[in-house]
Amino acid sequence: MTNTKPNTKPTPNHTKPKNGPHAHRNLRILISGASVAGPALAHWLHRYGFTTTIVERAPALRDGGYAVDFRGGAHLSVLRRMGLLDAVEAARTGTGSMAYVNELGKPVAKLPADLFAGDVEILRGDLARILHDATAGHTEYVFGDSVTSLEEDADGVHVTFERGAPRRFDLVIGADGLHSATRRLAFGPEERFVRHLGVYCAIFTTGNHLGLDRTGHAYRTANRLVAMYSARHNTEAKAVFYFGSPELGLDRRDVVRQQAVLTEQFTGNGWQSDRLLHDMRYAPDFYFDSVAQVAMDHWTRGRVALVGDAAHCPSSLSGMGTGLALVGAYVLAGELAAAGGDHRLAFARYEEEMRAYAEGCRKMGDGVARLMVPGSRFTAGLLNRYYKLMPYLPGKDMAAKIARRAAENITLRDYTAAEVRTAPAVRAGR
Ligand SMILES: Cc1cc2nc3c(=O)[nH]c(=O)nc-3n(C[C@H](O)[C@H](O)[C@H](O)COP(=O)(O)OP(=O)(O)OC[C@H]3O[C@@H](n4cnc5c(N)ncnc54)[C@H](O)[C@@H]3O)c2cc1C
């Protein structure tokens, strides 16, 4: 893995709090979503002396799931500054290259590891667990609930929940992903911000019946791709399906209908398709969603801000979302601390710092979707041939280099001056 030195520049004077040290305002912060961006934000806010509550819709922390990756200096630098790089590296999947196979399962081409798995690859649920455990001692976690309304006044936000009693917070941050409820409540309906990229994706855990050893196999046909990769030291595997389709308007919670659609799409598709469709019915976890991006002119409004996929999801196929969520949390918390809790100043600085970076990461997701499932058999065959020849071509590392450049295209400010203002007990415990 790369070990790029942290790229730091001092916080400029105009972000310094006007009221001097210990002048934090807006101390009580509600975060919606306990996956990557939410707990990472809570980690930093606590270090700067804020008090955080995280509300998560799922009844408990969502374990396992698919593999996500970090690539390049900015991502690794934030993990290192959080003191979590070792824990993340210890839980890495160690997945190597991915092979494209023919109908008989014979490898015909290879996708290099750095393109497929970045510098450090980890299961999303394992990452969420590490972040949760690092924050549970100081953050209030409320599982099985969701924000239902946000009413802002001059001093704060009155928040109502599906289950819990209404509460007041100074600020509310939506870290609740692609289908963010916070975004809907504060900015408007999802259709205004979420763009379907013409591809659907399904993922679930299954047995490693192919005996894959830290690798994956993918089988591509016209408009479809089915794949398996090993996980958790080869003791299990993840089954992955992609297919091209216009928006289907499926209910996101209707798993029966989603599985029926997948069955229609992949029955008789060849290789492991039928076997995996059978396994799907017994999977402990089943994820199905549109491959989509989020584009917004602003990520903040009044006392509400968005972070991670809720603000700028670059799509699940970009390989950028997790690092982007982590960097966004670092910047948002840092700017809040640097501004002494002045949300107007901090939110403006957050948008300014993150805009170009998020845009660059989003571009990575633009073309990948259609490349993943080319519309015709001819193009699918051509792509397989290209991957086969790729190791011998002069531009063989180009795609990985472009991805790395996008992931590193931010100069992380050093917010440690803001950290000095936090309570001594917080500093001692870090
Ligand atoms: C199939 C797939 C493969 C991916 N592969 C990669 C990859 O290889 N590399 C990479 O970098 N990224 C990858 N990603 C993207 C990555 O998972 C996300 O970018 C990243 O998890 C963003 O983190 P987040 O915390 O912003 O949002 P999420 O991880 O989506 O978390 C949102 C959280 O909010 C919760 N929530 C939702 N609604 C509510 C509500 N109303 N109230 C309270 N809580 C709520 C959810 O339960 C969830 O815990 C992939 C994504 C998918 C779906």
Side-chain angles (χ1 to χ4, degrees), residues 194-276:
V194 175
R195 185 166 68 99
H196 174 61
L197 297 186
V199 175
Y200 278 85
C201 169
I203 291 198
F204 55 87
T205 302
T206 183
N208 183 8
H209 65 265
L210 293 182
L212 297 170
D213 183 8
R214 291 168 201 275
T215 187
H217 283 179
Y219 176 63
R220 179 161 32 209
T221 50
N223 217 31
R224 290 177 186 80
L225 183 139
V226 54
M228 264 180 77
Y229 58 86
S230 57
R232 296 204 192 285
H233 308 290
N234 303 329
T235 57
E236 61 181 39
K238 305 292 171 184
V240 187
F241 294 81
Y242 287 102
F243 65 95
S245 163
E247 215 159 351
L248 295 170
L250 298 175
D251 180 339
R252 283 206 322 279
R253 293 178 197 188
D254 188 350
V255 172
V256 173
R257 180 77 193 107
Q258 294 164 0
Q259 294 195 344
V261 168
L262 211 61
T263 304
E264 271 162 38
Q265 288 283 340
F266 284 90
T267 299
N269 177 63
W271 187 56
Q272 296 290 320
S273 303
D274 291 342
R275 162 79 195 253
L276 293 175

Side-chain angles (χ1 to χ4, degrees), residues 172-378:
V172 175
I173 314 292
D176 38 9
L178 179 60
H179 304 291
S180 167
T182 313
R183 188 183 58 224
R184 176 171 43 77
L185 293 170
F187 296 83
E190 176 161 321
E191 306 75 74
R192 279 173 44 195
F193 310 111
V194 175
R195 185 166 68 99
H196 174 61
L197 297 186
V199 175
Y200 278 85
C201 169
I203 291 198
F204 55 87
T205 302
T206 183
N208 183 8
H209 65 265
L210 293 182
L212 297 170
D213 183 8
R214 291 168 201 275
T215 187
H217 283 179
Y219 176 63
R220 179 161 32 209
T221 50
N223 217 31
R224 290 177 186 80
L225 183 139
V226 54
M228 264 180 77
Y229 58 86
S230 57
R232 296 204 192 285
H233 308 290
N234 303 329
T235 57
E236 61 181 39
K238 305 292 171 184
V240 187
F241 294 81
Y242 287 102
F243 65 95
S245 163
E247 215 159 351
L248 295 170
L250 298 175
D251 180 339
R252 283 206 322 279
R253 293 178 197 188
D254 188 350
V255 172
V256 173
R257 180 77 193 107
Q258 294 164 0
Q259 294 195 344
V261 168
L262 211 61
T263 304
E264 271 162 38
Q265 288 283 340
F266 284 90
T267 299
N269 177 63
W271 187 56
Q272 296 290 320
S273 303
D274 291 342
R275 162 79 195 253
L276 293 175
L277 286 175
H278 171 267
D279 292 354
M280 170 180 78
R281 297 194 171 79
Y282 307 98
D285 47 2
F286 177 77
Y287 168 91
F288 182 100
D289 207 346
S290 141
V291 174
Q293 292 184 330
V294 173
M296 303 181 76
D297 292 337
H298 292 284
W299 304 317
T300 62
R301 173 169 287 175
R303 292 178 170 272
V304 181
L306 302 174
V307 67
D309 272 8
H312 39 55
C313 174
S315 104
S316 54
L317 280 173
S318 68
M320 292 286 166
T322 310
L324 184 55
L326 202 73
V327 170
Y330 172 82
V331 173
L332 177 55
E335 292 297 342
L336 271 166
D342 179 340
H343 64 285
R344 287 185 197 86
L345 188 56
F347 286 179
R349 294 278 310 133
Y350 162 62
E351 300 229 14
E352 201 179 301
E353 283 292 300
M354 287 296 294
R355 181 59 62 179
Y357 183 55
E359 193 54 28
C361 293
R362 191 186 59 74
K363 283 202 180 115
M364 287 300 303
D366 270 348
V368 186
R370 286 317 297 179
L371 261 186
M372 196 74 169
V373 286
S376 73
R377 209 188 160 111
F378 175 75

Side-chain angles (χ1 to χ4, degrees), residues 1-8 36 40 44 68-86 88-89 114-115 117-122 127 131 308-309 312 314-315 318-331 354 357-358 360-362 364 400-413:
M1 54 160 272
T2 6
N3 220 351
T4 316
K5 266 193 93 195
N7 191 5
T8 58
V36 179
W44 287 110
V68 298
D69 44 34
F70 295 106
R71 65 185 74 222
H75 297 178
L76 301 181
S77 170
V78 173
L79 283 173
R80 194 177 297 114
R81 291 177 197 197
M82 292 174 86
L84 296 179
L85 183 57
D86 288 348
V88 168
E89 287 195 326
D114 54 351
L115 187 60
D119 292 322
V120 184
E121 188 189 63
I122 180 170
L127 176 63
L131 291 166
D309 272 8
H312 39 55
S315 104
S318 68
M320 292 286 166
T322 310
L324 184 55
L326 202 73
V327 170
Y330 172 82
V331 173
M354 287 296 294
Y357 183 55
C361 293
R362 191 186 59 74
M364 287 300 303
K401 275 189 185 147
I402 293 172
R404 181 173 302 281
R405 214 174 297 144
E408 291 184 333
N409 187 30
I410 186 164
T411 303
L412 296 175
R413 293 195 186 287

Side-chain angles (χ1 to χ4, degrees), residues 26-31 147-161 165-174 182 185-186 301-305 343 347:
N26 294 326
L27 283 173
R28 293 163 309 152
I29 300 185
L30 174 70
I31 300 168
V147 167
T148 50
S149 75
L150 303 169
E151 211 174 290
E152 184 174 330
D153 54 43
D155 307 321
V157 190
H158 179 79
V159 185
T160 60
F161 298 91
R167 290 172 68 174
R168 267 189 84 75
F169 293 91
D170 298 321
L171 303 174
V172 175
I173 314 292
T182 313
L185 293 170
R301 173 169 287 175
R303 292 178 170 272
V304 181
H343 64 285
F347 286 179

